[in-house]
């Protein structure tokens, strides 16, 4: 339908109502095809994540016991009982202690390693970084096995080494004072290499001029660490605090393999307790209420960290 | 940092007697290769190994394809509600696994899928992290090539698998490795979804090995160590092959 093209420029197509409709129908069909590509992912997330999330909330309001099919609606009863029980506060305390130690030591150790091993263009240092990063990918079950053996009170290496210093053997995983630090140590061993890699990536993105400027101002190495490196690393620190925090709050594998929550609940962290409640005692309703409490706790504390971070974290430029 | 790994390997070659000596030795008196054969006798090790492999490969096949398609849709597609749906994907990153396991367990049991590979693989079809990682990679690729392909008559699948996939290959390889490693090491999910030796995976099997000999740990730890060494070999190989890419991708995707 286009007019003869005399001027050498393309003539504007004359749109009739019908062709406009055809055009928008084709646009809609294209959009549908594009949407079709994200559909499988959305379907998986809805079926296996968002629907179960809603269903967990529902179960948490019932007295469902997995061995019986009857679900009776009991309102907030599971929540009030949990919040009134001493066990809950014990488990919460264990989880927060574990999480606090894990975040502090993983990040602290990771930063120290980053400062020691951030040497560019050296094969030896690149190899060392690989070695330090490796435990991150070793299965927690296997890491736990090795550490059970190292912590063994009769034949373990740790007590042997401590014996040189004249210390009495300690039953690391059975003593309620040492069980949490012993579990944290395994997690720090696994996670510090990952923190190191991210810190090194962060350090390398800091422009050299900042250090040169600090040097001109008479700053020594410690000064420039405090006033240049650390502030400019703060987005990475925030990222690691949040991700380490979320995963520590969910500590499960090491407890299941190393301590079973013992001795005397001293390592009965929330997720392990949820697991024993759901699959040991079959108290599905109660366990679901605890799941929701855990989720809300993680959500609130993550938002809090993020909000604090937004004010304190220094972004470049 | 390397010492616990060294200790694992060294302990796997010791005899029971040497494991229990008052002075731990840094080098075995003689290498007990029988410990490795013994691991196959004490638990159905070959079966566990095969199950772990099938589960990991299944997860790669499913998660990778779902993530490739979603990443293509989110990076290059145009449709209403795209940002809202992408937010739904990102929000999945902070929902703990424990929130879903009871309802999914019930679902699997109703479908008759408990104790099958379906229950181990299908619920983890969509990986929010994978979608995010690939979307970032696709976004950074130029649209001109896609336009050229469209003119040549390529469909969406053609553009995704023949053009975008090869162009984003380093990211794709990284994701495959990460899915493999997390599948290989997963514990909580297989522990809940399976309950017979036929379907157990290595992590659960090794934990079971410890439980089955609880009380006389020192008697059998050399065998647990041998079983563990064999279980980390695939991880170490895969890790050694692509370590550089993983480090780069991690640093790139997480920073800012």
């Amino acid at each position: 339908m286009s007019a003869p093209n005399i001027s050498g420029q393309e003539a504007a197509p004359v749109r009739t109502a019908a062709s406009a409709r055809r055009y928008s129908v084709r646009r809609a069909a294209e959009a549908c095809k594009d949407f079709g590509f994200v559909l499988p992912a959305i379907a998986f997330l809805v079926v296996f994540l968002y629907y179960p999330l809603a269903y967990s909330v529902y179960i948490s309001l019932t007295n469902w016991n997995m061995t019986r099919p009857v679900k009776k609606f009991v309102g907030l009863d599971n929540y009030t009982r949990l919040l009134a029980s001493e066990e809950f506060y014990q488990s919460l305390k264990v989880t927060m202690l574990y999480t606090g130690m894990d975040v502090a030591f993983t990040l602290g150790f990771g930063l120290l390693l980053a400062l020691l091993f951030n040497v560019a263009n050296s094969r030896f240092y690149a190899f060392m970084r690989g070695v330090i990063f490796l435990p991150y990918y070793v299965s927690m079950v296997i890491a736990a096995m090795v550490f059970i053996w190292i912590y063994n009170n009769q034949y373990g290496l740790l007590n042997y080494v401590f014996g040189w210093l004249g210390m009495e053997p300690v039953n690391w995983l059975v003593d309620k004072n040492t069980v949490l630090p012993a579990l944290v140590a395994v997690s720090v061993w696994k996670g510090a290499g990952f923190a190191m890699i991210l810190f090194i990536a962060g350090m390398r993105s800091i422009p050299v001029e900042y250090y040169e400027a600090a040097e001109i101002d008479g700053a020594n190495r410690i000064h420039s660490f405090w006033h240049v490196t650390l502030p400019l690393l703060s987005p990475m620190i925030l990222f690691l605090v949040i991700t380490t925090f979320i995963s520590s709050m969910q500590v499960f594998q090491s407890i299941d393999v190393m301590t079973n929550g013992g001795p005397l609940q001293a390592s009965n962290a929330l997720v392990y307790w949820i697991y024993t409640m759901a699959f040991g005692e079959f108290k599905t309703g109660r366990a679901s209420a605890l799941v929701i409490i855990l989720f809300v706790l993680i959500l609130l504390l993550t938002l809090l960290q993020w909000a604090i971070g937004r004010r304190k974290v220094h972004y470049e430029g | 940092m390397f010492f616990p790994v060294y200790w694992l390997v060294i302990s796997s070659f010791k005899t029971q007697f040497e494991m229990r000596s008052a002075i731990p030795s840094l080098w075995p008196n003689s290498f007990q290769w029988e410990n490795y054969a013994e691991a196959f006798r004490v638990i159905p090790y070959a079966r566990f190994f095969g199950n772990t492999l099938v589960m990991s490969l299944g997860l790669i096949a499913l998660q990778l394809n779902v993530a490739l398609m979603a990443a293509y849709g989110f990076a290059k597609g145009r449709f209403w509600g795209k940002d809202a749906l992408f937010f739904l994907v990102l929000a999945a990153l902070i929902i703990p696994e424990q929130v879903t396991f009871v309802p999914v367990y019930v679902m699997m049991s109703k479908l008759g899928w408990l104790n099958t590979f379906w229950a181990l693989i299908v619920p983890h079809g969509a990986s929010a992290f994978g979608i995010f990682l690939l979307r970032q990679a696709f976004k950074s690729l130029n649209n001109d090539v896609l336009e050229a392909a469209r003119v040549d008559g390529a469909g969406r699948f053609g553009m995704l698998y023949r053009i975008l996939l090869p162009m984003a290959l380093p990211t794709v390889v990284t994701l495959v490795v990460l899915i493999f490693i997390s599948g290989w090491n997963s514990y909580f999910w297989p522990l809940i979804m399976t309950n017979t030796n036929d379907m157990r995976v290595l992590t659960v099997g090794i934990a079971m090995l410890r439980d089955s000999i609880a009380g006389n740990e020192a008697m059998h730890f050399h065998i647990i160590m041998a079983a563990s060494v064999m279980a980390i070999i695939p991880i170490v190989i895969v890790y050694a092959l692509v370590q550089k890419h993983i480090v780069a991708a991690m640093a790139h995707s997480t920073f800012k």
Side-chain angles (χ1 to χ4, degrees), chain A residues 34 50 56 130 137 189 256, chain B residues 1 78 88 99 156 187 239:
Chain A
D34 283 344
Y50 288 105
S56 277
Y137 287 121
W189 173 68
D256 190 44
Chain B
M1 299 297 270
R78 270 184 292 177
L88 211 64
V99 173
R156 285 178 172 71
Y187 178 71
Y239 169 81

Side-chain angles (χ1 to χ4, degrees), chain A:
Chain A
M1 281 278 276
S2 59
N5 208 340
I6 303 163
S7 66
Q9 287 181 339
E10 215 170 306
V14 182
R15 270 199 201 156
T16 62
S19 80
R21 204 178 307 124
R22 228 176 301 138
Y23 178 73
S24 67
V25 166
R26 208 177 62 224
R27 275 287 296 268
E30 293 284 300
C32 276
K33 282 185 191 166
D34 283 344
F35 174 71
F37 274 73
V38 305
L39 192 62
I42 299 298
F44 275 110
L45 288 177
V46 169
V47 175
F48 295 113
L49 193 69
Y50 288 105
Y51 164 74
L53 174 61
Y55 196 72
S56 277
V57 174
Y58 164 68
I59 301 175
S60 76
L61 302 173
T62 69
N63 71 347
W64 188 31
N65 174 321
M66 214 184 260
T67 52
R68 279 175 291 146
V70 216
K71 291 192 194 78
K72 197 179 134 214
F73 189 80
V74 293
L76 293 175
D77 188 54
N78 285 321
Y79 292 92
T80 50
R81 274 169 195 248
L82 275 173
L83 293 176
S85 75
E86 219 168 276
E87 261 182 307
F88 173 74
Y89 295 98
Q90 163 67 15
S91 189
L92 188 65
K93 193 181 95 188
V94 166
T95 313
M96 296 316 287
L97 268 174
Y98 176 90
T99 304
M101 283 192 280
D102 195 26
V103 171
F105 286 108
T106 305
L107 266 68
F109 212 46
L111 187 58
L112 194 69
L113 289 168
L115 290 169
L116 288 173
F117 289 97
N118 184 15
V119 178
N121 308 322
S122 157
R123 281 186 162 231
F124 171 73
Y125 281 94
F127 174 75
M128 284 310 291
R129 287 195 295 270
V131 167
I132 293 167
F133 191 34
L134 179 68
Y136 185 69
Y137 287 121
V138 171
S139 147
M140 182 48 119
V141 171
I142 288 165
M145 288 298 171
V146 184
F147 277 89
I148 289 176
W149 184 237
I150 291 174
Y151 289 146
N152 185 292
N153 68 322
Q154 271 180 290
Y155 315 110
L157 193 65
L158 193 59
N159 277 339
Y160 177 71
V161 172
F162 274 52
W164 292 343
L165 308 170
M167 281 174 64
E168 290 294 307
V170 178
N171 209 340
W172 299 95
L173 295 172
V174 183
D175 186 323
K176 69 176 169 40
N177 296 314
T178 56
V179 66
L180 276 185
L183 288 168
V184 170
V186 183
S187 173
V188 172
W189 173 68
K190 268 178 67 63
F194 179 69
M196 171 194 75
I197 295 287
L198 292 192
F199 280 137
I200 288 177
M203 285 172 182
R204 291 199 177 162
S205 71
I206 298 173
V208 193
E209 293 80 30
Y210 287 37
Y211 290 103
E212 288 167 357
E215 210 172 311
I216 291 167
D217 291 347
N220 61 22
R221 284 176 141 233
I222 295 168
H223 277 127
S224 53
F225 171 75
W226 278 107
H227 299 291
V228 180
T229 313
L230 216 50
L232 289 173
L233 271 186
S234 53
M236 192 60 95
I237 295 171
L238 178 68
F239 172 83
L240 277 167
V241 166
I242 291 177
T243 50
T244 313
F245 171 84
I246 292 176
S247 70
S248 314
M249 285 288 285
Q250 299 174 51
V251 56
F252 172 76
Q253 288 196 32
S254 53
I255 295 174
D256 190 44
V257 176
M258 298 173 84
T259 70
N260 288 321
L264 295 168
Q265 317 285 320
S267 65
N268 193 20
L270 287 168
V271 170
Y272 187 74
W273 194 28
I274 289 169
Y275 168 74
T276 51
M277 217 189 281
F279 287 98
E281 304 165 46
F282 302 109
K283 288 179 187 163
T284 324
R286 188 77 50 85
S288 295
L290 194 54
V291 165
I292 302 301
I293 292 176
L294 174 76
F295 177 42
V296 171
L297 214 58
I298 290 179
L299 199 66
L300 289 179
L301 289 169
T302 305
L303 288 175
L304 183 72
Q305 289 166 24
W306 184 74
I308 294 172
R310 243 168 53 126
R311 265 201 246 148
K312 292 265 169 69
V313 165
H314 302 252
Y315 284 97
E316 266 178 71

